[in-house]
Amino acid sequence: MKKTAVVTAGTAGIGLETALGLAAAGFAVTVVGRTAQRGGRAVERINATGPAHPARFLRADLASLGEVRALAERIASDHAASGEPLTALVNNVGAMFADRREVGGVEASFLVNHLSPYLLTELLLPTLTAGAPSRIVNVTSGAVGLAKRVFDAVEPPGGYYGFHWYGRAKLANLAYTLDLAARLDGTGVSVFAADPGGAATDMTNGTMTDPKIVSPALRLLWPLVRRRFERSTSGPASVAAGPSILAATDDTLTGRTGIVIGARATPVPPFRAATDPGIAAAVRRLSEQHAPLTVT
C-alpha cells in the first residue's frame, strides 16, 4: 500500500532533509511551509531525486492556529477522497525568538513550538488512526534541560529569555508526546520524539548567537555553553534529520511507541521532567485552553 507522509516546516533545513529521506524510503511526501516560492523549490529538489511518488507542497503559516485548522482539514479531506492512508506525520516546525512576541494574543514560542503541532496532531488523529499502522514524530530539543518547569500559564513568571522559553515550549511538547503515546497505545498509531541535536540552520546561526536570549546568570557563559552545545550537535541538516527519518521509517520500531530517538539516531531515555504526570496534566490543560479542537 502507498505510504504517505506530511512534514511541517519541510521547505528547508532539517525539515527538507527529512522530506528527502522519507521520499527515498518510498513515501509520497507533502511538505508544509509558509511561502509558495520555497515550497516550489523544495518539491523540485525532492522530485529531482526520482522518488517513487512525486512530492507536493501545502502552504500554511503554522504560527496561525486558524491556518493549522485549515491545513488539517485539507489533509484529512485529501486522504478521505483518495482512500490513501496517512502513514506518518512529522511535526518538524520550531522557532526561537530573541524578543518576546505574541500571535493572536498567545506568546509566540509556546504557540509555534507546542500549540501548533499539538493542534495539527489532534485534528489529524482520526486520519492517522484510519491509516494505521501509522506514526507521529515530534521534533524535540536538548534545550528542554534549561527550561522552567512551571505550566500554570502559557508563560512562566519573570523576564523573557528566548532560549529558555523555546526549551520550555519544547518540554511541553515532549511531555505531550509521551502522554499521547500512552493514550494511543494499542490503536496502531505509534508516537515518537526525535532530537536532531543541532545543525547549521538559520536558528543556530542567527538567534542563538545573541546572548540576550538567555538569563543574566547564564549570559557571560553563553558563548562557552553555546559552543559546547554546538560541538554535541549532529552537524549538517542532512545528518540532523536522521533521528526523524529513523523514527518515521525504521522497521525495528514497528509496534513500539513512546520512544525518544536521540541525536545519534538511537533510542535514549526521555528527559525526566517530561515523564512527570503533573507536568503532562498541566500541559494538557493549557493546550485544551489555548488550542481547542473545536471553535465555537
Side-chain angles (χ1 to χ4, degrees), residues 72-94:
E73 184 176 356
R74 169 72 185 276
I75 292 170
S77 176
D78 287 351
H79 282 276
S82 68
E84 297 172 348
L86 176 55
T87 316
L89 170 64
V90 181
N91 286 306
N92 173 73
V93 67

Side-chain angles (χ1 to χ4, degrees), residues 52-226:
H53 308 284
R56 70 164 181 165
F57 168 72
L58 290 179
R59 199 210 73 80
D61 181 352
L62 298 176
S64 163
L65 295 183
E67 293 200 27
V68 172
R69 295 180 195 280
L71 174 66
E73 184 176 356
R74 169 72 185 276
I75 292 170
S77 176
D78 287 351
H79 282 276
S82 68
E84 297 172 348
L86 176 55
T87 316
L89 170 64
V90 181
N91 286 306
N92 173 73
V93 67
M96 186 191 304
F97 305 102
D99 299 298
R100 187 188 180 279
R101 64 180 73 178
E102 290 186 1
V103 179
V106 181
E107 191 274 317
S109 187
F110 197 81
L111 171 60
V112 174
N113 294 292
H114 172 61
L115 291 179
S116 173
Y118 157 81
L119 182 60
L120 182 63
T121 300
E122 291 290 329
L123 293 176
L124 287 177
L125 280 183
T127 304
L128 287 157
T129 303
S134 55
R135 301 186 187 189
I136 298 164
V137 181
N138 289 333
V139 176
T140 186
S141 169
V144 298
L146 290 176
K148 288 188 176 181
R149 303 172 192 179
V150 179
F151 292 95
D152 297 329
V154 166
E155 291 185 84
Y160 176 84
Y161 306 108
F163 186 80
H164 301 283
W165 263 234
Y166 168 79
R168 182 175 174 274
K170 285 294 189 181
L171 174 57
N173 195 249
L174 181 56
Y176 163 68
T177 300
L178 300 177
D179 187 48
L180 180 66
R183 192 174 111 207
L184 297 181
D185 194 19
T187 66
V189 182
S190 295
V191 186
F192 304 100
D195 182 359
T201 65
D202 290 345
M203 185 168 71
T204 56
N205 291 331
T207 309
M208 281 189 64
T209 63
D210 187 342
K212 74 178 181 181
I213 66 171
V214 294
S215 62
L218 190 59
R219 201 163 291 171
L220 289 177
L221 296 174
W222 181 237
L224 295 175
V225 174
R226 183 169 62 84

Side-chain angles (χ1 to χ4, degrees), residues 224-238:
L224 295 175
V225 174
R226 183 169 62 84
R227 281 198 293 272
R228 182 179 177 184
F229 177 81
E230 290 170 348
R231 282 197 300 270
S232 67
T233 62
S234 302
S238 58

Side-chain angles (χ1 to χ4, degrees), residues 137 193-197 234 239-248 253 261-266:
V137 181
D195 182 359
S234 302
V239 176
S244 293
I245 296 168
L246 184 137
L253 295 175
I261 306 300
R264 298 185 183 275
T266 57

